[in-house]
Amino acid sequence: MSHKSDDKIKTLLQFGSTWWGRSWIKSMLKYGRFFRMQRGITYTKENRVSNIIIKKGEIFALCQGTAPVPYRVKIEFTPIVSEQWRQVIEEMGQTIEIEAKLLSGEMPQHINKLFLRKGVPLFPVPKQNLDATCNCPDEEIPCKHIAAVILTLASIFDYDPFMLFELRGKSREELLSELQFLATEGEPRDNVMRSGQIEPNTQKSRSFLHPDISKLQSIEFDISPLESTETLFHQLGTPSEIKNHEFSEVMSTIYRDVSQFANELIYHKKKGKSLPKKE
Amino acid sequence: MKKFPELTFIPLEYANSHNSNLIIFTQNEKRELPRIKEPFFILWIPLNLSEEILHESIEKTLPDFPIEKALTCSINLVYPLDYIRQINVEESSSVKSSMILGNTIAKIVPLKKIVNFLADRSLIRLDLYSHLEISSSMYFWSLIVKLTLQLMAKGSYIPYVTQIESSEDQDYFQEIIGKMQSVWKPILKTKKDVINYIQILKYAPISAHAIPIIENIESMHDFIIPPEFKEIFRFQNSIKTTSQIYSASELSRVFIETVLDSLIREISAVTEQEMNYQIPWESRLIQSLLSPSPQFSIFNVKEEIIPHIFDLWSQKLNLSWRLGYSLKFTLQSPKSGNQKEGKWNLLFSIHSLSDDSVEYPLKKFWKCFRGLEKAQLLFRKNEDIAIREYLLKSFNVLSYVFKPLSRSLKEKNPNKIVLSSAEVVSLLQSGMESFNSLGYSIDIPKSFSAGGSQRIQPVLSIYSTESEKPHSIEPSIQSTTFDISSVLSYEWILKIGDTILSQEERNKLLNSSDERHSLMYWNDQWILVDKRNIEQFYGNNSSLKGGITGENALKLALTQNAYIKTDQDGTSGPFPVQFYGPLENVIKFIKGEMEIPNEPQPSEFQGILRKYQVYGFNWMRLITSIGFGCVLADDMGLGKTIQIIALILSLLENNQKNRNFLVICPTSVLGNWMREINKFSPTIQAKLHYGAERAKDIDALNRVLQNYNVILTSYNILRRDIDLIEVAKWESVILDESQNIKNYKTKQARAVYRLKEKTKRKIALSGTPIENRITELWSLYHFLNPFLLGSRRQFLKRYAIPVGRLGNEKLTTELQNLVNPFLLRRMKTNRQIIPELPDKQETEVYVSLSDEQKALYIQIVKSMLTEVEAVEENSKQKFRTKGLILKALMQLKQVCNHPDHYLHTPLETIKKYNLNDFIKRSGKLRRFIELLEEAIASKSKVLIFTQFKVMGDILQYVIEEVFNYQVPFIHGGIKQELRTEIVEDFQEGNFENPVLLLSLRAGGVGLNLSKASVVMHFDRWWNPAVEDQATDRAYRIGQENKVNVYKMVVEGTIEEKISKMLEQKRDLAESIIQVTGEEWITELSFGELQKIFLLGEEGL
């Protein structure tokens, strides 16, 4: 490979901002013809791809070309068979790590290695040519529309890695429930004994109908001026996808104003009216 | 007693549903509004169809509510059948707990307005505002509003985005490919928030969420409409209902979410700008968050992931509160052997948010989850799945915050991790903070926390200038006095546990630790070192030592809130405070950390003091000797008066006979004090300063002071004679029923304050717990220990509002720490006290007649005696005298009760009188109400007996008006079924209705009232057997409580005299009275009659 090719590949890889998205692109490039992929660059940057639908083994999308009506693109892959999935999932369930991360919406770095260890291809592996269709006049595969869809998918997968699993045959929910099933070591849920209710007694007893509200007199609230580090927004930190600097500043202002409002309302500074007290 | 109007939240879907039957009235026209856009609140009264009554009720509770402007509507609601019972309707239905569906008239309150109203009424202290009659549903919603405001104040909410599915959204022409909706989501973050929320919901009254969920036309068995009420309810298409109503949690959740979102938008509103694809989506989002319209468009497929961004982002939040469980960590220091080598364990467990005692190690949870361990765990079906998910997510999140936890991720069923000492340091330094802010709690060994033995701690040490520094010999506590104006010395020292570090040791520490915070190995154990603390001891030398006033020193010692100045003009702390030298004992004593030498009861005391009473008078003596004022706040019936008498006696011992004591009390109790002094300490010379003959000038007063030790006076008289009284020097001033100076502005309070300077020992007696009444507290302590709580303004700012309005925990604790050392309170339910109390204690409460009563009394007696005398001669008319005497007896009894009882004023008329004036007209009634208040305050259930139905009606009315409790009255006219129910309510119920009124006779046989612990006889019937039977109903087998019986006796009247005579002629009484009831009185000779009937000169 020449330097120029390296550069071109690098350009393509930039459409994926996580290792995940980039791996996707890399695996698509294995179908060859990376210069064809390049033709999708402009269209991708121009956000011409829309209405993406991802199902097991199939991708549908629309790509706006020069014609008034967008072209319809379809790409198909052989999904991972269930036996393979079973093996992979069993491996995943050896520790809580993968399940924990999946539950939190994260994709653990080493998951690729796990798939490889089991000999299961996480990303589609080309056994034949790319099985894609597009109703544009260009006969070549991939045409720029198909290429644009593939590149756009990288950023889709960046944001929602589970879409890839979906493509490969298991939705996130399915994956998680199978992992959980593993955790119980296969015991059907209902066979496990549980003890009784901990619900408060909601019978129509006297206390349900006429609870002793004086018991609430000792509830303590903490309405006081805000430390900026206390707000949930600050503690979570600005979502990493938000590049706009203004966002967190605006948020800080909002939180501060809202807190001030609440404090003033409770401390009566706004109204200046107070209730007549018993003498 | 139900209060109205009720307040209920009407969610959108109900308002718009056919089942609500919502009709809105405008200007006498009925009109159904088109689809309602926003939820709202309604004010209503059950079963009420009259708008006027509703208006009246609203005016009373919400005086600033714009009744005219508000819309009226009618709507279907549901509430318990009991509501009807409360509104004085006789019913014989045995159905107690069914629900009723009804259509009611109501006033609409828009959502935005309600926050303003309820923020005002979000008062924790119901007692301060009880006269405004806030209904329980209004109180409930006000708490929810307060919670919402707290969330707003603390930033406990996040922005969030969801996608709106709609085919109309796509608009290729404008390049819009979809629409998003932004919302502000409230989040209950801390454990406290969750517990508060759960608690509020637990006690939500039905009226607050009285909305039926009508699903299908099924059986009606849970909703019953008694036939007599059918006309009252308007039905359309005969709606039948199921047994479901909206849950309080559902409604409050909807309410909090709606209100929070709309308020935030209102507060931060921006002018809307045109948003097109060129504007970055973050800005479009911000605008949608800040404007009334929450939607914004997206223009390309990448923006479709926006909801996902926020979803992931918010997942980091610990939403364990939904589960009711939380993951908890416990750090264990190495068990045995060398701490340096040892391993630190960080254990994992799961604990219940609503019940602190429920906690399982995670090991157990995993086992149960896998079905390996059965029973014991208390999870509902599928709840364990949710918990496991929560656990996994937690480990993931925390592994970023505290790296060692990623080791747990490599396990299948993690139960703990082992930490190196470096990791422990990192945990203690910053890890804990992160854990806490994310909602996870960590327990660290006590010795590492502030004040522990394994932590270096700056301590402020205070000692008096005369004595040496720490470790001087301590003189006995009895000879120590504390002068708050004296100047003491202080010094900041460093301690590890109990050891004080020397200068060299400090240096050593400083030089040996590398980082800011570290775990250091020192003397065979690990200690936590905050290097900054040590550095300060090099920097600012001048603030390390100095002088401090006694006043401030004392306050610091009580609150343990000492701050040290740091280099950059900041402060660091709070740090503990320690006294050395003689004052160390003083502090220990007032904090209750010291055994005090108990002098035995004074030899001149007639009777035997109980142990706690011995403690009581010793404590009072000692604390006032040191120089502090104090409060004795024992429960009613424990003998506060007696303890004071013992105190006075002990202070007069050893020939200190020239001391003077002033007792100030309510007028109605003066007689009682005199009586008790005479009974228990006849050697004390006591004099009443009361009435026209009292001392009027200094000479007269001095004469009195020379001849008498104890002067008794009333608050009224004190107020008038203060110029005179303040001249004297008092050994002690004792305020009985100290709530009489609860308002510092009154003349009598100000009079009391004038006695501050010249009184050595200041003591207050109180039967009602004052620690909850903040402003009362200040008034009282302003007399007792003025330095303690500062000026009124300072006090209001620092304590009254945060503690009284908001229940701020930190400040409440601080205030308690300041106040409690000077307050002694024992309760009847104290385990130590109970064995000392007799099972049944009978007390006669002496009261006096009001002037009006006196006049009536004298008149009746005079006319009766005259007539009898006239008849005396003619023995044929003897039977007439019998009648006359019995009639007079009856009338006099009535006069003793209340003039209007004798005058037979109808109840309707009485209800129109001013209540306070009415009560004052009878000495007995006045005192009775005071006693009842104390009894209720001590959480007792009370039985009240009277022999007159008429008086019973009056009592019922008065008690209900004063206390706002419903008071059931069992008398002859009450049917058996109802009686049984009332008794059941009384026995089983909680303290909403702690008072039961019974007529002496009809209080019937076979009633089990064993839960009562106070019995009050309002008037007497001189057949002791009958009386005792009534009393014994409370004191029965199975009785858990001690019973206090109070018999009201009016001094100088037949009540007193006959009861005395009965005592003297006990055997006679028993035999005669059994047979003839009260008629034996008619057999007495004229001379005896005179003695009995003429108003005695005793007492007042």
Side-chain angles (χ1 to χ4, degrees), chain A residues 143-181:
Chain A
C143 62
K144 58 186 173 189
H145 311 107
I146 295 175
V149 168
I150 290 175
L151 290 176
T152 309
L153 275 171
S155 45
I156 298 293
F157 291 143
D158 276 340
Y159 288 122
D160 190 353
F162 296 94
M163 295 314 296
L164 183 70
F165 282 149
E166 186 102 34
L167 179 65
R168 305 300 280 135
K170 279 251 183 263
S171 70
R172 178 168 169 258
E173 286 71 38
E174 284 174 316
L175 193 53
L176 283 172
S177 79
E178 287 185 36
L179 280 171
Q180 189 197 87
F181 187 69

Side-chain angles (χ1 to χ4, degrees), chain B residues 272-442:
Chain B
E272 280 193 46
Q273 297 163 328
E274 182 64 43
M275 290 278 151
N276 57 41
Y277 71 94
Q278 287 172 330
I279 311 229
W281 67 266
E282 293 94 331
S283 308
R284 277 181 264 139
L285 172 60
I286 291 180
Q287 179 169 282
S288 82
L289 280 169
L290 301 184
S291 64
S293 47
Q295 298 181 1
F296 67 97
S297 312
I298 55 169
F299 299 100
N300 70 59
V301 73
K302 288 204 191 134
E303 292 175 355
E304 277 179 12
I305 45 91
I306 297 174
H308 188 69
I309 294 178
F310 282 89
D311 209 20
L312 284 186
W313 180 69
S314 64
Q315 288 208 3
K316 285 195 246 164
L317 285 173
N318 174 12
L319 293 176
S320 62
W321 63 273
R322 286 231 182 93
L323 299 171
Y325 286 89
S326 178
L327 176 58
K328 183 170 149 185
F329 297 87
T330 310
L331 178 67
Q332 274 183 346
S333 47
K335 281 200 177 114
S336 55
N338 195 331
Q339 273 215 351
K340 190 159 198 171
E341 314 300 321
K343 299 286 177 203
W344 298 77
N345 284 331
L346 186 65
L347 304 175
F348 311 142
S349 61
I350 187 168
H351 81 108
S352 156
L353 286 176
S354 45
D355 185 355
D356 272 333
S357 62
V358 176
E359 186 175 329
Y360 311 113
L362 225 51
K363 204 188 302 190
K364 188 164 181 173
F365 173 78
W366 300 125
K367 273 202 192 145
C368 283
F369 186 78
R370 284 153 53 202
L372 293 179
E373 216 173 280
K374 309 192 175 176
Q376 298 139 45
L377 280 200
L378 299 177
F379 298 126
R380 292 196 297 273
K381 190 175 170 191
N382 289 333
E383 193 184 18
D384 50 359
I385 296 180
I387 292 178
R388 180 168 172 278
E389 223 183 87
Y390 154 74
L391 288 172
L392 262 50
K393 282 200 230 179
S394 302
F395 279 111
N396 187 42
V397 164
L398 292 171
S399 67
Y400 291 112
V401 152
F402 184 58
K403 292 272 175 336
L405 272 180
S406 45
R407 301 203 279 268
S408 301
L409 287 176
K410 303 285 183 206
E411 298 179 45
K412 198 157 180 183
N413 296 312
N415 189 41
K416 67 168 193 198
I417 47 173
V418 177
L419 298 174
S420 70
S421 38
E423 289 170 335
V424 172
V425 172
S426 148
L427 180 66
L428 291 174
Q429 275 173 225
S430 49
M432 274 185 71
E433 228 182 278
S434 317
F435 275 57
N436 285 329
S437 67
L438 287 171
Y440 300 95
S441 54
I442 301 190

Side-chain angles (χ1 to χ4, degrees), chain B residues 597-666:
Chain B
N598 273 342
E599 304 266 330
Q601 70 179 53
S603 48
E604 290 168 359
F605 186 85
Q606 305 286 322
I608 301 185
L609 287 174
R610 301 174 194 145
K611 272 205 217 103
Y612 70 89
Q613 291 172 328
V614 170
Y615 179 86
F617 90 81
N618 273 292
W619 178 81
M620 286 193 282
R621 182 178 173 148
L622 191 48
I623 201 167
T624 51
S625 294
I626 297 177
F628 300 122
C630 69
V631 184
L632 183 63
D634 287 342
D635 260 354
M636 176 187 183
L638 290 183
K640 296 190 280 289
T641 318
I642 291 177
Q643 290 174 76
I644 293 289
I645 292 175
L647 174 69
I648 295 177
L649 274 177
S650 82
L651 288 170
L652 288 175
E653 268 175 352
N654 304 326
N655 295 317
Q656 310 263 36
K657 300 283 182 191
N658 55 341
R659 291 175 165 173
N660 293 110
F661 300 82
L662 180 65
V663 175
I664 311 173
C665 64

Side-chain angles (χ1 to χ4, degrees), chain A residues 44 47 49-52 62 93-97 99-101 103-106 110 152 155-156 159-161 172 179-180 182-185 187 189-190 192-199 204 206 208-226 230-233 235-239 241-244 246-247 250-251 254-255 257-259 261-263 265-268 271 273 275-279, chain B residues 2 80 82 97 99 115-116 119-124 126 128-131 136 139 143 146-147 149-150 152-159 172 184 187 189 192 196 199-200 203-206 243 264 267-268 281-283 285-286 289-290 300-302 305 308-309 312-313 315-317 325 368-371 377-381 384-385 388-389 392-393 396 400 408-412 414 437 743 801 805-807 809 990 992:
Chain A
T44 313
N47 288 322
V49 178
S50 66
N51 290 58
I52 300 179
L62 293 179
Q94 292 306 307
T95 67
I96 57 170
E97 183 172 12
E99 194 183 345
K101 292 213 181 284
L103 280 171
S104 314
E106 293 169 26
H110 58 272
T152 309
S155 45
I156 298 293
Y159 288 122
D160 190 353
R172 178 168 169 258
L179 280 171
Q180 189 197 87
L182 258 186
T184 57
E185 310 206 337
E187 283 275 343
R189 303 298 301 143
D190 292 324
V192 179
M193 273 206 7
R194 300 273 176 260
S195 92
Q197 292 275 61
I198 50 169
E199 294 270 33
K204 291 203 168 57
R206 282 219 71 91
F208 172 64
L209 292 179
H210 299 290
D212 179 10
I213 203 156
S214 65
K215 290 223 162 65
L216 294 177
Q217 293 207 59
S218 55
I219 293 204
E220 298 164 5
F221 291 98
D222 179 17
I223 303 180
S224 53
L226 186 63
E230 267 179 288
T231 72
L232 277 181
F233 189 83
Q235 287 176 2
L236 289 175
T238 313
E241 294 82 354
I242 293 183
K243 313 287 182 217
N244 189 331
E246 230 193 290
F247 197 84
V250 171
M251 283 291 141
I254 295 174
Y255 277 86
D257 290 344
V258 168
S259 173
F261 173 86
N263 274 288
L265 197 58
I266 274 290
Y267 283 92
H268 263 320
K271 290 252 140 181
K273 274 189 203 170
L275 293 171
K277 281 217 183 98
K278 181 158 75 165
E279 221 17 278
Chain B
K2 288 283 170 231
D82 296 76
S97 52
M99 309 277 274
V115 174
N116 286 336
D120 229 12
R121 274 134 190 99
S122 57
L123 307 155
I124 286 184
L126 278 181
L128 274 185
Y129 293 90
S130 61
H131 62 297
S136 49
Y139 184 61
L143 288 179
K146 198 179 248 180
L147 182 64
L149 288 173
Q150 181 188 297
M152 287 167 71
K154 287 295 172 192
S156 291
Y157 52 88
I158 51 169
Y172 285 114
W184 290 100
I187 308 274
K189 194 178 60 137
K192 181 93 173 291
N196 277 355
Q199 186 81 344
I200 297 176
Y203 292 100
I206 289 233
S243 58
I264 295 179
I267 295 166
S268 337
W281 67 266
E282 293 94 331
S283 308
L285 172 60
I286 291 180
L289 280 169
L290 301 184
N300 70 59
V301 73
K302 288 204 191 134
I305 45 91
H308 188 69
I309 294 178
L312 284 186
W313 180 69
Q315 288 208 3
K316 285 195 246 164
L317 285 173
Y325 286 89
C368 283
F369 186 78
R370 284 153 53 202
L377 280 200
L378 299 177
F379 298 126
R380 292 196 297 273
K381 190 175 170 191
D384 50 359
I385 296 180
R388 180 168 172 278
E389 223 183 87
L392 262 50
K393 282 200 230 179
N396 187 42
Y400 291 112
S408 301
L409 287 176
K410 303 285 183 206
E411 298 179 45
K412 198 157 180 183
S437 67
N743 184 347
I801 294 177
R805 284 184 82 89
L806 300 172
E809 200 175 337
N990 46 32
E992 318 165 305

